Amino acid sequence: MAADKIQDPSRSVGVVTPQVARFAAPLALRCGASLRDYELVYETYGTLNADRSNAVLVCHALNASHHVAGHYADDPANTGWWDNMIGPGKPLDTRRFFVIGVNNIGGCHGSTGPLSINPDTGRVWGGEFPVVTVEDWVDAQARLADHLGIQQFAAVMGGSLGAMQALAWSARYPQRLRHSIVIACAPNLSAQNIAFNEVARQAIITDPDFNDGNYRALNTAPKRGLRVARMVGHITYLSDDEMANKFGRQLKNGKPGYTFDTEFQIESYLRHQGNKFADYFDANTYLRITKALDYFDPALEHGGDLAKALQSVVAGMLVVSFTTDWRFSPERSREIVHALIKNRAPVTYAEIDAPHGHDAFLLDDARYHRLVAAYFERVHGEIAR
Amino acid sequence: MNGPLGNQRPDFAVIAEWIPQRARVLDLGCGDGTLLKYLQQTRGVTGYGIEIDDGNVLECVKNGVHVIQSNLERGLADFDNGSFDFVVLSQTLQAMRNTEHIVREMLRVGRSGIVTFPNFGYWKNRLNVLRGHMPVSENLPFEWFDTPNIHLCTVADFEKFCGERGIRIVARTLLTNGQPVTSLPNLLGELAVYQFGG
């Protein structure tokens, strides 16, 4: 996902350093398995105040990580994935808030996942790593909060799959957050969403280099599959209009070559995105994260009644959707809002008229950012009181 | 009238008088949230505002009002029957495409409805029409060609509308220059404020 990377050093959190928290108590997972011990990699920006009330947890979506803002000393080009949102003077202002980004369990950016060593076998987990869920992630994040001495977050925030975590937080640990900021979310995936994920997974699983997920031991990786998976995903993040604006029917060489090389600009773009992704992302992680998306359905345990599933919510809720997001459409956000209204929960809902599709949540849209900034102003007013 | 309600919305003061402590209020077309903010601060009310405009939604957030960005013409499907004590529609009725539908929706989700609208029967408006022109005033600030007001009515029209539909008018206040009008409301009242029930 291509965030706008306008660099203004005075508005950046600057050089950041990832940290590692190690947890010895087992983490029971939804699938029935349990992680005996595990590590979470995280970054923090800003300063935790004396009464520990200004912490904001930022949950990541499909391909992102704990590296939410700033850059690394040894890799200045590696800017955090939500750097336009988080920093001094930005909507989530690090002069006021202590912001935490964490790589989820099952990830491939340092937290315990398929690339880690399975302590029971002494070998890389690979395809043996259990299937994880949004709720598992939230449970692990709650332990990180314990570790950091944070009893209650000022807010938990996320977009897309990250928003599902923010929503799960509000129902699962209602007392542990004052606000939940749920951007470009859905209360569960539609059949169409699951279908796209399944195409992506099949691309990976049927890659001859996949080897039941144990490709690392053979020094290979199902890169072809991962590439296709990313291409499919990318199509769903953009709106039809945005794709037409960016690429249209443009040909790289100006005229058709009647070959199967990349000719249309959109082909070239998708291949580029696919290649880039396949070089840094782990296929086993991709499989698990798409499964976490598919399984997320808080209403399921409540007979399909989302209001019941969200009955425990006491946090202030900000729900934001984007008009051209067809992957997680405004109607899906409205389902969440409807359930919260039914429960008489304090909810604010904004529908941003943005042309960029699902990706809009990562982009620098003035109306969107002003709204989030105003909301955080309100949160700050509460904790400063 | 100055103070926390601002000086441009005299109808808000009347509405606020009618709303008791800790009522549940839904404000349709809530603008920047001024009324709800005032009611929250002075009456401890809870509830939501509905607003379509981006700028107003932002102001609502700044005002600490729980706002739902939505088009009122879609109806109030997000809200359950009888879930509010009051549903307020201030200075918006005349701009609604489906007037009857929204009034019925107000009485479905609320126990009482409150509407305010510019009285087209106000003598200055009548005079304008007599002189051959559509009225343009503080309460009707638009020219005929750019007005959102597609369903203007008089006090007499509104009461006939309610009467024919079994809608019970509970209270009525007419305002001119922010002051209540006691006689000849349909002629001397510029801004109408009604409370009604089913």
Side-chain angles (χ1 to χ4, degrees), chain B residues 27-49:
Chain B
D27 187 357
L28 309 179
C30 66
D32 64 5
T34 299
L35 177 65
L36 268 178
K37 183 186 181 186
Y38 177 76
L39 293 173
Q40 285 172 6
Q41 288 172 348
T42 60
R43 306 280 194 280
V45 306
T46 54
Y48 308 97

Side-chain angles (χ1 to χ4, degrees), chain A residues 141-198:
Chain A
Q141 290 161 2
R143 292 202 185 163
L144 179 65
D146 296 340
H147 172 80
L148 296 172
I150 294 158
Q151 185 47 44
Q152 188 187 52
F153 286 108
V156 177
M157 175 188 195
S160 188
L161 177 58
M164 288 175 168
Q165 294 159 59
L167 185 63
W169 259 99
S170 66
R172 206 166 169 81
Y173 295 100
Q175 303 298 333
R176 297 202 67 177
L177 67 167
R178 295 187 71 96
H179 292 271
S180 177
I181 300 178
V182 174
I183 303 168
C185 192
N188 58 26
L189 291 199
S190 65
Q192 189 192 41
N193 284 161
I194 296 171
F196 281 120
N197 282 346
E198 176 58 5

Side-chain angles (χ1 to χ4, degrees), chain A residues 100-116:
Chain A
I100 302 160
V102 55
N103 184 215
N104 285 323
I105 294 288
C108 55
H109 291 93
S111 291
T112 298
L115 298 176
S116 312

Side-chain angles (χ1 to χ4, degrees), chain A residues 318 331 334 337-338 340-353 367 370-371 374-375 378, chain B residues 24 48 54 57-58 60-71 74 77-80 82-84:
Chain A
L318 173 63
E331 283 68 30
R334 281 180 170 275
V337 172
H338 180 73
L340 291 166
I341 288 173
K342 213 175 172 62
N343 293 340
R344 304 185 170 192
V347 53
T348 289
Y349 172 63
E351 206 168 287
I352 309 286
D353 188 9
R367 273 169 301 180
R370 272 201 296 267
L371 183 92
Y375 199 85
R378 183 154 132 188
Chain B
R24 281 190 52 77
Y48 308 97
D54 291 334
V57 167
L58 178 65
C60 284
V61 171
K62 289 181 180 170
N63 277 323
V65 163
H66 300 302
V67 63
I68 309 294
Q69 188 162 25
S70 184
N71 185 348
R74 291 168 62 137
D78 281 331
F79 301 92
D80 287 345
S83 51
F84 294 90

Side-chain angles (χ1 to χ4, degrees), chain B residues 133-173:
Chain B
H133 289 286
M134 288 298 283
V136 177
S137 66
E138 201 179 317
N139 274 302
L140 291 168
F142 303 99
E143 294 281 359
W144 65 272
F145 51 84
D146 67 356
T147 181
N149 298 330
I150 53 174
H151 285 142
L152 288 163
C153 68
T154 68
V155 161
D157 289 332
F158 184 73
E159 293 187 7
K160 181 165 175 272
F161 170 88
C162 291
E164 286 170 357
R165 284 157 187 80
I167 296 166
R168 189 170 45 88
I169 291 170
V170 178
R172 176 186 78 184
T173 297

Side-chain angles (χ1 to χ4, degrees), chain A residues 32-362:
Chain A
S34 131
L35 288 177
R36 210 168 68 187
D37 50 29
Y38 58 98
E39 287 179 350
L40 290 176
V41 176
Y42 65 100
E43 288 177 10
T44 70
Y45 326 111
T47 311
L48 188 61
N49 63 9
D51 56 1
R52 297 169 179 269
S53 62
N54 69 335
V56 176
L57 176 68
V58 177
C59 305
H60 70 74
L62 218 165
N63 65 315
S65 70
H66 54 282
H67 185 36
V68 181
H71 58 267
Y72 297 133
D74 58 357
D75 188 4
N78 187 353
T79 310
W81 59 270
W82 221 352
D83 196 71
N84 62 21
M85 181 67 85
I86 295 150
K90 289 181 181 169
L92 175 46
D93 193 333
T94 48
R95 293 172 305 191
R96 290 174 159 180
F97 292 100
F98 177 66
V99 180
I100 302 160
V102 55
N103 184 215
N104 285 323
I105 294 288
C108 55
H109 291 93
S111 291
T112 298
L115 298 176
S116 312
I117 302 291
N118 177 351
D120 290 336
T121 64
R123 293 192 307 270
V124 170
W125 274 101
E128 308 293 312
F129 195 84
V131 169
V132 286
T133 64
V134 166
E135 288 77 9
D136 297 333
W137 290 337
V138 167
D139 290 348
Q141 290 161 2
R143 292 202 185 163
L144 179 65
D146 296 340
H147 172 80
L148 296 172
I150 294 158
Q151 185 47 44
Q152 188 187 52
F153 286 108
V156 177
M157 175 188 195
S160 188
L161 177 58
M164 288 175 168
Q165 294 159 59
L167 185 63
W169 259 99
S170 66
R172 206 166 169 81
Y173 295 100
Q175 303 298 333
R176 297 202 67 177
L177 67 167
R178 295 187 71 96
H179 292 271
S180 177
I181 300 178
V182 174
I183 303 168
C185 192
N188 58 26
L189 291 199
S190 65
Q192 189 192 41
N193 284 161
I194 296 171
F196 281 120
N197 282 346
E198 176 58 5
V199 171
R201 284 191 295 266
Q202 284 303 315
I204 292 168
I205 290 168
T206 59
D207 184 318
D209 287 329
F210 181 63
N211 294 304
D212 290 331
N214 300 314
Y215 44 85
R216 272 299 254 243
L218 302 166
N219 259 326
T220 60
K223 286 199 174 184
R224 283 164 293 182
L226 196 52
R227 222 173 269 148
V228 174
R230 184 58 175 167
M231 288 166 78
V232 171
H234 226 90
I235 297 168
T236 71
Y237 304 143
L238 299 177
S239 68
D240 192 16
D241 284 351
E242 179 71 357
M243 237 186 224
N245 282 342
K246 257 186 168 162
F247 311 104
R249 293 185 48 84
Q250 265 175 29
L251 290 160
K252 271 177 74 179
N253 299 322
K255 57 179 199 294
Y258 304 101
T259 69
F260 293 98
D261 292 338
T262 52
E263 290 197 55
F264 289 96
Q265 287 291 5
I266 181 64
E267 295 176 315
S268 162
Y269 172 77
L270 286 178
R271 287 198 198 186
H272 171 72
Q273 292 293 340
N275 287 340
K276 207 169 71 173
F277 189 67
D279 281 343
Y280 79 84
F281 210 80
D282 178 57
N284 280 318
T285 290
Y286 199 84
L287 292 178
R288 278 153 189 77
I289 293 185
T290 58
K291 270 291 177 187
L293 271 161
D294 292 1
Y295 287 131
F296 182 70
D297 189 4
L300 188 65
E301 289 167 21
H302 298 85
D305 187 337
L306 185 62
K308 266 193 192 150
L310 300 179
Q311 210 145 38
S312 56
V313 172
V314 291
M317 306 290 294
L318 173 63
V319 179
V320 181
S321 71
F322 300 94
T323 49
T324 53
D325 183 351
W326 57 275
R327 179 114 196 218
F328 289 178
S329 69
E331 283 68 30
R332 303 309 317 275
S333 283
R334 281 180 170 275
E335 289 176 38
I336 298 168
V337 172
H338 180 73
L340 291 166
I341 288 173
K342 213 175 172 62
N343 293 340
R344 304 185 170 192
V347 53
T348 289
Y349 172 63
E351 206 168 287
I352 309 286
D353 188 9
H356 310 102
H358 188 57
D359 248 2
F361 85 88
L362 290 167

